[in-house]
Amino acid sequence: MGYDLQRFQGDVDEELICPICGGVLERPQQASRCEHAFCEDCITEWLKRQPSCPVDRGTITQQELVPAPRILRNLLGRLTISCDNAESGCDAVVRLDALESHLYECKHNPKRPVKCEKGCGLPVALDELSNHNCVYELRTKVEEMEKELREQQVKMAEQQQEMKLLKEVVRNIRAIQLGNSAEPEEEDAASQISRWVTSLPTARVSRWGGMISTPDAVLQAVIKRALIESDCPLWLVNELMENAHERKWPPGLSSLETRQINRRRYEQFNAKRIPGKQAVVVMHSENAHMGDSMILYPGLVMIFAHGID
């Protein structure tokens, strides 16, 4: 529906009036054949009943409608109109193209967002402020955030599964290129991992809060050198170091929020210390019980500022 003519100052050219509702054009659309213009809502409802122009009865369809030309929109924008909230006490008269921004700030707008001063600080529509319940709204917001977090965790778990499948494909291709089946390569990889992990001392992490989830390149290079010096197979070194940053970690560890949620589960990790460093490896082969949300193949590198015994 168009704008009520009574709200405008001075005369309004008839070319700016919708022939369907008789009001000033609102979000004008134009029929591409006859070039007649209508309010978007008006012509949409009209065409649901009959596919013809309301002015000359020529055939038109929804697909033939196009936005009104710039000159028509400019003429509309220059018209001056009273505020929607005139009956509530606002006496402002503004250009039509500035009406939307005025309504957002209008002190008489019952839907103007204001900051709740009861404690939660959330933006609330002015006419809903008296019935606003801080506890309910905050609980709703927390539930929305938790839902979004769960959705992100599911998505990341799916991505991790895709990565595992992709690595499996790569290993199979490598085996074929070497003229071997994939199974001996898997067996050989498993035995290499087992032999190396067995040689490492068991680690006890006393301060999980000291974890460095985003180590810089220098720190990663130091840990990588330590892995090599511990006789870690070179192919395994590279894969482990890829998993030394939270961007590669599984959903249960991939952000500060999820790590806080799962902090009680850390004690269930079977961790081995990287000799001489405040860092541990948590291998998939020894931590399958943790599930895909907490562990990656072949394993994770966790670097700490302190707290490794």
Side-chain angles (χ1 to χ4, degrees):
M1 295 292 291
Y3 299 100
D4 186 348
L5 268 172
Q6 303 303 317
R7 294 177 57 189
F8 290 85
Q9 306 295 306
D11 296 331
V12 177
D13 193 293
E14 65 178 21
E15 294 297 326
L16 305 180
I17 297 176
C18 174
I20 299 177
C21 69
V24 174
L25 291 167
E26 183 175 6
R27 298 191 306 276
Q29 295 283 302
Q30 188 178 64
S32 56
R33 295 185 185 181
C34 60
E35 298 186 346
H36 291 125
F38 316 92
C39 297
E40 181 179 29
D41 291 344
C42 293
I43 190 61
T44 297
E45 288 300 316
W46 178 278
L47 293 178
K48 288 179 180 178
R49 298 190 296 271
Q50 50 188 321
S52 62
C53 173
V55 178
D56 60 21
R57 303 301 173 180
T59 300
I60 59 172
T61 64
Q62 186 74 38
Q63 290 70 29
E64 293 178 71
L65 296 177
V66 296
R70 182 188 298 272
I71 187 172
L72 181 62
R73 287 182 277 124
N74 287 344
L75 290 172
L76 285 167
R78 292 174 187 150
L79 296 176
T80 53
I81 185 173
S82 61
C83 176
D84 292 13
N85 305 308
E87 293 183 359
S88 300
C90 181
D91 57 4
V93 176
V94 299
R95 282 176 47 131
L96 186 56
D97 56 9
L99 178 62
E100 184 175 350
S101 59
H102 166 74
L103 290 175
Y104 184 81
E105 300 176 351
C106 179
K107 294 181 179 180
H108 299 275
N109 181 7
K111 296 299 180 183
R112 178 171 62 91
V114 295
K115 183 178 179 180
C116 171
E117 297 181 352
K118 297 179 182 180
C120 70
L122 294 174
V124 186
L126 184 62
D127 62 349
E128 298 175 7
L129 193 58
S130 60
N131 297 321
H132 175 67
N133 185 315
C134 292
V135 174
Y136 173 79
E137 294 297 336
L138 286 172
R139 184 184 295 119
T140 301
K141 194 168 187 66
V142 169
E143 289 174 353
E144 290 174 353
M145 294 174 66
E146 289 178 341
K147 180 181 178 182
E148 183 178 350
L149 180 59
R150 287 194 297 270
E151 291 174 350
Q152 291 177 350
Q153 289 177 332
V154 170
K155 184 176 180 180
M156 291 186 68
E158 292 173 349
Q159 292 175 340
Q160 294 294 341
Q161 185 62 28
E162 291 176 0
M163 286 294 295
K164 288 173 66 176
L165 293 174
L166 182 58
K167 288 182 178 180
E168 179 70 20
V169 171
V170 171
R171 282 194 290 268
N172 289 341
I173 293 174
R174 188 183 303 163
I176 293 172
Q177 290 174 338
L178 294 173
N180 300 314
S181 66
E183 291 184 6
E185 184 178 344
E186 285 296 324
E187 293 171 357
D188 183 60
S191 63
Q192 288 183 45
I193 291 175
S194 177
R195 184 167 53 253
W196 174 67
V197 171
T198 302
S199 72
L200 297 177
T202 299
R204 190 179 78 83
V205 181
S206 58
R207 297 184 183 180
W208 288 98
M211 187 188 305
I212 301 174
S213 58
T214 57
D216 58 27
V218 174
L219 185 53
Q220 290 189 64
V222 170
I223 301 302
K224 183 175 182 179
R225 187 180 308 113
L227 285 173
I228 295 173
E229 291 174 352
S230 72
D231 294 327
C232 178
L234 292 180
W235 66 268
L236 182 57
V237 169
N238 293 329
E239 292 203 33
L240 287 176
M241 291 312 301
E242 286 182 6
N243 297 341
H245 193 289
E246 68 174 17
R247 63 173 173 267
K248 290 285 188 175
W249 287 356
L253 300 172
S254 59
S255 68
L256 179 59
E257 291 76 14
T258 56
R259 289 195 293 277
Q260 290 175 337
I261 291 171
N262 293 315
R263 63 185 182 277
R264 297 186 183 277
R265 300 188 61 191
Y266 292 152
E267 297 299 330
Q268 301 175 38
F269 275 127
N270 293 320
K272 293 297 184 74
R273 183 166 187 171
I274 299 176
K277 304 299 177 186
Q278 286 286 308
V280 302
V281 287
V282 180
M283 301 303 294
H284 187 278
S285 58
E286 296 188 323
N287 290 277
H289 62 283
M290 298 298 289
D292 289 342
S293 66
M294 296 291 288
I295 191 68
L296 289 180
Y297 180 87
L300 300 172
V301 169
M302 295 182 178
I303 305 171
F304 293 80
H306 47 71
I308 306 294
D309 299 335

